[in-house]
Amino acid sequence: MTIAQNLADLKHLIPPSVKLIAVSKTKPNSAILEAYASGQRVFGENYVQEIVDKQKDLPEDIEWHFIGHLQSNKAKNIAPFVSYIHAVHSIKLLDEIQKQAEKNNRQINCLLQFHIAQEETKYGFRLDSYEEALSVIDFSLYPNIVFAGVMGMASFVTNQRQIESEFQLLKDIFENLKTGKFAEIASFKEISMGMSGDWPLAVEKGSTMVRIGSAIFGNR
């Protein structure tokens, strides 16, 4: 199967209301251009240097999403061009993104990442403390940040019920924030969850963005 055919098959299955992010990490520019030629414009990358290098050499109308773990001191590298930062896991990182977005006279869409998986290696606001952590946010201090929604990664397991429950948990967090702290934030509407192996479950649970790599580009 070609990249173009894989994309065509996915777009036939994924509802039009759900944004398909083609995860192109470690893939060469030629593979991205093949997807681009078939109409894909939204790409996700996990590593700062890789997304910076690719952005310089690829078409200007690509919408770049940074979906990996972002260290605060590297926000400056992607602030000039990135459209979305999916994994905002701390207030410290939020502050740095605001600082760099202001320097570049840009607004950057940000998704708050929550630790919904069992693996301790994953990042995100903790479930037992996120409300307290986010309660201190003063929206007036972040004029260059668009609070766009939430993001989470399910556990890497085969147990479908567990994955389903973790996606439901993220949906519940979103609804809690949407009717609470973020009730007046019109832009707060995205739920980024679901990858190649579990996106149908994610969509069923309310995902508005799916991050798909191997089902498009093949296994690394």
Side-chain angles (χ1 to χ4, degrees):
M1 297 279 279
T2 66
I3 290 172
Q5 186 58 57
N6 289 340
L7 274 169
D9 291 346
L10 282 167
K11 288 177 179 178
H12 179 71
L13 296 169
I14 296 172
S17 58
V18 177
K19 179 172 282 192
L20 170 58
I21 301 163
V23 179
S24 48
K25 65 176 181 180
T26 75
K27 298 300 178 184
N29 288 356
S30 58
I32 297 174
L33 287 171
E34 188 176 338
Y36 181 92
S38 67
Q40 182 66 22
R41 292 294 181 272
V42 185
F43 292 88
E45 291 284 337
N46 287 58
Y47 307 112
V48 169
Q49 193 56 55
E50 187 173 356
I51 194 173
V52 169
D53 290 342
K54 287 177 174 176
Q55 187 270 339
K56 286 187 290 191
D57 295 333
L58 290 165
E60 291 184 0
D61 62 338
I62 286 179
E63 179 179 300
W64 291 104
H65 290 229
F66 190 79
I67 62 175
H69 175 61
L70 180 62
Q71 295 174 304
S72 296
N73 63 351
K74 293 189 176 179
K76 63 180 180 292
N77 300 102
I78 63 175
F81 64 87
V82 74
S83 292
Y84 280 81
I85 296 176
H86 281 235
V88 178
H89 58 276
S90 69
I91 301 299
K92 177 186 175 184
L93 178 57
L94 201 60
D95 291 343
E96 185 62 24
I97 294 170
Q98 164 57 35
K99 176 182 173 183
Q100 299 304 329
E102 184 177 15
K103 280 184 180 178
N104 287 276
N105 194 28
R106 297 188 69 233
Q107 284 198 312
I108 298 175
N109 295 288
C110 288
L111 301 175
L112 303 174
Q113 182 182 15
F114 293 89
H115 190 278
I116 59 172
Q118 287 190 344
E119 294 103 331
E120 287 300 314
T121 52
K122 289 188 168 70
Y123 294 91
F125 287 98
R126 311 298 297 192
L127 302 183
D128 58 355
S129 59
Y130 78 85
E131 289 181 279
E132 182 181 357
L134 297 180
S135 67
V136 302
I137 290 179
D138 179 350
F139 295 117
S140 67
L141 299 178
Y142 301 99
N144 295 81
I145 286 180
V146 178
F147 289 92
V150 302
M151 177 268 204
M153 297 176 65
S155 299
F156 188 64
V157 295
T158 57
N159 186 330
Q160 297 296 291
R161 286 189 177 181
Q162 180 180 337
I163 294 170
E164 188 175 0
S165 68
E166 289 170 356
F167 285 153
Q168 181 63 54
L169 180 57
L170 187 62
K171 177 69 183 302
D172 292 344
I173 290 170
F174 171 79
E175 295 294 348
N176 182 35
L177 294 173
K178 185 67 176 173
T179 55
K181 176 71 176 178
F182 292 82
E184 304 302 317
I185 307 298
S187 59
F188 196 81
K189 57 188 178 183
E190 306 291 356
I191 303 177
S192 172
M193 62 183 181
M195 299 187 291
S196 290
D198 55 24
W199 72 260
L201 273 180
V203 170
E204 187 180 309
K205 289 299 178 181
S207 176
T208 65
M209 292 180 167
V210 290
R211 311 179 301 270
I212 298 182
S214 60
I216 296 173
F217 297 104
N219 293 317
R220 290 189 297 279

